[in-house]
Amino acid sequence: MQKTYRELAEEIKTDGERLRLIAALGNSEDIVYHYHLICEDWAAGEQLSLENSFDRHGKEGIVFLLEQLRADESSQQYTDTAYLAAKTLSQLRHRDFYAVLSKELTTLLLAGPEAKEDALRRKRIIALGWVGSAAEIDVLIDFLRGDPDALCRAWAAASLMQLSFHAVAAETVREKTKTVFAEAIRKESDLRAAGIMLEAAQTLFGKKWISAAAAEAAEPKAILKAGKSALRFLTRCSAE
């Protein structure tokens, strides 16, 4: 089996061949080797996206990834594995094991080796949005308020929104973050980060202040206008 996959990987010339390899790995029972190939792909710059079928391993795949986290001391490998586990679990949130394994993964995410690099913190913040609970709202608020990296602040805002799609009632997130979002939008000087924050806030609060295209392009006029509208709304909400 391992020889077959290695030969396939070496012979891939088209997207169709790559997708067939990804599907074959997900449908196999060799979780260890699938993970090994994913790690090789990460090291090579994620050329094949072999993790895209890892959810097909179901509960056994998640349990395996949690075991890797308990044994791993490398910040990069730890973060990549935790991100894969969170992404996979978010695809399996309808399964009966989701709540228990999400709690285990969240604990490991928060207790893992320090992520000094901005890119690693960003991935962990995104992962928390996929699998976190109400208890992680304050953790993400801390990132939104105080992380030195603009994109970490931005993804913290997006992850707070993501919590409302998964394990936390939207009203709970709104109540705890209305003042925080106002503070963050008012202070943010990075246009791209501000655009992401505005998109996250408008989705969470059911508003329409900025288009996705304007936010993605970090259009100064659109962000300034949307920011003023968002602040008026959030300030009013905070006073109620």
Side-chain angles (χ1 to χ4, degrees), residues 106 109-110 124-132 136 139-140 143 163:
T106 299
L109 265 169
L110 296 174
R124 294 194 195 186
I125 287 167
I126 293 169
L128 279 177
W130 283 331
V131 299
E136 280 62 64
V139 175
L140 290 171
F143 281 117
L163 288 181

Side-chain angles (χ1 to χ4, degrees), residues 46-121:
E46 298 186 11
Q47 297 175 343
L48 300 177
S49 300
L50 299 180
E51 71 273 16
N52 286 352
S53 63
F54 203 85
D55 61 299
R56 299 189 186 185
H57 297 306
K59 181 179 180 180
E60 291 75 14
I62 300 298
V63 170
F64 172 81
L65 293 177
L66 294 178
E67 290 171 352
Q68 300 309 300
L69 290 174
R70 293 187 183 98
D72 205 319
E73 296 182 357
S74 161
S75 185
Q76 179 71 59
Q77 184 83 358
Y78 192 97
T79 299
D80 289 340
T81 300
Y83 185 88
L84 172 59
K87 179 181 178 182
T88 304
L89 259 179
S90 72
Q91 296 171 300
L92 301 170
R93 59 181 178 271
H94 59 287
R95 303 288 291 275
D96 57 5
F97 54 78
Y98 174 82
V100 172
L101 295 186
S102 289
K103 187 174 181 179
E104 288 185 35
L105 176 54
T106 299
T107 299
L108 289 167
L109 265 169
L110 296 174
E114 183 181 0
K116 295 181 180 179
E117 297 87 350
D118 295 341
L120 298 186
R121 288 202 309 286

Side-chain angles (χ1 to χ4, degrees), residues 195-213:
I196 294 171
M197 290 177 188
L198 286 164
E199 273 202 289
Q202 73 180 9
T203 300
L204 180 60
F205 289 90
K207 297 294 178 179
K208 186 62 178 178
W209 299 313
I210 192 169
S211 70

Side-chain angles (χ1 to χ4, degrees), residues 3 28 38 40 44 56 86 91 94 103 134-135 178 184 186 199-201 226 232:
K3 181 181 178 182
S28 78
I38 289 170
E40 287 189 349
R56 299 189 186 185
Q91 296 171 300
H94 59 287
K103 187 174 181 179
K178 54 190 177 183
R186 185 180 294 110
E199 273 202 289
R232 282 196 298 270

